[in-house]
Structures are given as structure tokens and as C-alpha cells.
Amino acid sequence: AQSVTQPDIHITVSEGASLELRCNYSYGATPYLFWYVQSPGQGLQLLLKYFSGDTLVQGIKGFEAEFKRSQSSFNLRKPSVHWSDAAEYFCAVGPYSGGGADGLTFGKGTHLIIQP
Amino acid sequence: DTAVSQTPKYLVTQMGNDKSIKCEQNLGHDTMYWYKQDSKKFLKIMFSYNNKELIINETVPNRFSPKSPDKAHLNLHINSLELGDSAVYFCASSSGPGGYEQYFGPGTRLTVT
């Protein structure tokens, strides 16, 4: 079965500093990988996705992520964070297969706190 | 224009009641989903529905049933509500099954007392 691990439950970063959120996945084939952001009381917004090709993908709001097959990782980065980036970030892999629903498998999320 | 909408946004009800949550997407997508987000913010797929084919996560109790009157709607019916059903329920849609990106609704916070 596929799985996603986000090792950091909470991360605190100063405004203007760089950010890296970690994501490791377990999947038997070439994965489809996603990063979503959830602001308090809101739904999930897609930041970026990786399907194939260039392993460095650009997303919205200045985010990027790098797919590293050898490390089974898909870490999210941003060179300079803004206070508005404070939110919950979810890494996800899809599709789920093997007898279950055909949806995304999510990590448990990383809560990002921005210090002024 | 809201791409994926859900109603209601908040739902408070008592144990044993039956309730429904509605979901509509105006993206022309073929596949819709329901996810449950628990109190620790863990998201788990409940159902996916594509071209009238329903795929159910085996861990979902049969008290939960999705109903799709048309391609743009996937409603969630819950019978005999239990305390453990309290969660945020998200509807999502995508242009196809599998690896297509999914677009999420704003969520419905269900509280069972």
C-alpha cells in the first residue's frame, strides 16, 4: 500500500527566511505527487504537482518542489516566506490502487508557523 | 465562481439522526470524491465516483452512502450518526480518475452530540 510521511508536525520560520517542508512517499510505481495548503477553516488548495519530466516543479505563491526518486522524497521549498504562508501543508500521492478508493493518500500534514 | 461547493458549511446534530451533505462542481469534471478529515487533520479518502462507478474505501461504515443525481453532484448521506462521525468532510473533483489533480470544496464541519 502507498503511504506518505511528513516527518515534521510543526515548523516555525521567521518571516523572510527560507522554508523546506519534507515529504517521503512509498509507492510501487512512478508516483503522482502533490502539495496542498489548507488555511484555517478553509478547504485545500493545490500548490503544485509532479507527474513526470522535470524533477523541479514550480507552483503557485512562489513555491517549488523537487522530486528525488532515489530518496523517495518530494520536498516543498520557498526562498522567502510571508506571514500569509502560515497554514497546514499536506503532501499527497496518487492514485491509490489495490482494492480501495481511487483517491489521494495524504501525509499527516505540517503546521507552518511564521514568526514576525 | 466557486469551483467545488458544499452545503452546509456547519452541521450540528444528535446521535442517531440521519443527515446529508451536498456537493456540486462546475468544472465539468468526471470524477468526484469524499474525504474525511479527523480532529488531528488527517485526511482519508472515503469514496470516489466516476461515470457511475463507485469505489468505496473498505474502512467506511455502510451508514455512509454517496448519491450522484448527475455528473456535477455527489451528495453524502449518513444514517444513524455516531459521535465518531464528527469531522470535517471534504468533497473534491478531478477531470479523471487516478493521477489527475483534485480540486477541493471548502468542507463541512459535522458535529455529533
Side-chain angles (χ1 to χ4, degrees):
Chain A
Q2 61 194 42
S3 65
V4 177
T5 302
Q6 293 180 246
D8 303 305
I9 299 174
H10 300 277
I11 281 188
T12 300
V13 177
S14 297
E15 189 169 16
S18 63
L19 170 70
E20 182 169 28
L21 302 182
R22 296 183 291 166
C23 172
N24 293 98
Y25 67 90
S26 173
Y27 192 71
T30 301
Y32 300 105
L33 294 160
F34 306 85
W35 274 100
Y36 284 85
V37 60
Q38 183 180 26
S39 298
Q42 302 298 313
L44 282 82
Q45 182 182 24
L46 179 68
L47 286 175
L48 47 76
K49 60 185 185 288
Y50 172 78
F51 286 171
S52 65
D54 193 345
T55 56
L56 184 64
V57 293
Q58 302 297 319
I60 62 171
K61 304 185 179 187
F63 286 94
E64 67 178 26
E66 185 171 13
F67 170 64
K68 291 186 178 179
R69 185 186 299 275
S70 62
Q71 299 177 20
S72 297
S73 69
F74 188 57
N75 294 348
L76 181 71
R77 300 194 294 248
K78 187 170 184 178
S80 176
V81 297
H82 186 261
W83 64 267
S84 60
D85 293 324
E88 195 81 21
Y89 290 80
F90 294 95
C91 182
V93 63
Y96 178 84
S97 61
D102 189 21
L104 299 176
T105 299
F106 283 87
K108 294 192 175 182
T110 296
H111 185 65
L112 176 62
I113 301 166
I114 306 296
Q115 281 183 334
Chain B
D1 285 345
T2 302
V4 182
S5 60
Q6 296 177 228
T7 53
K9 188 168 177 63
Y10 300 96
L11 183 55
V12 181
T13 188
Q14 292 184 328
M15 286 176 55
N17 286 347
D18 303 337
K19 290 294 179 184
S20 296
I21 305 172
K22 295 185 177 181
C23 177
E24 177 182 2
Q25 55 95 3
N26 62 8
L27 298 167
H29 286 167
D30 290 324
T31 307
M32 296 183 73
Y33 310 82
W34 278 105
Y35 288 84
K36 178 180 180 181
Q37 185 176 45
D38 63 21
S39 59
K40 295 185 178 180
K41 294 194 176 294
F42 183 55
L43 280 151
K44 192 169 185 179
I45 182 72
M46 299 177 70
F47 305 100
S48 68
Y49 196 85
N50 178 54
N51 287 332
K52 301 188 179 181
E53 179 188 9
L54 176 66
I55 302 174
I56 303 171
N57 187 310
E58 60 272 16
T59 65
V60 175
N62 58 14
R63 297 182 294 102
F64 290 79
S65 58
K67 289 183 171 52
S68 180
D70 55 59
K71 200 174 78 166
H73 297 83
L74 183 65
N75 303 325
L76 182 64
H77 298 270
I78 316 170
N79 296 325
S80 303
L81 278 155
E82 300 177 357
L83 292 176
D85 298 332
S86 296
V88 181
Y89 292 85
F90 286 99
C91 177
S93 71
S94 67
S95 54
Y100 292 90
E101 60 263 39
Q102 297 180 14
Y103 295 86
F104 284 76
T108 295
R109 181 175 294 277
L110 171 65
T111 303
V112 183
T113 62

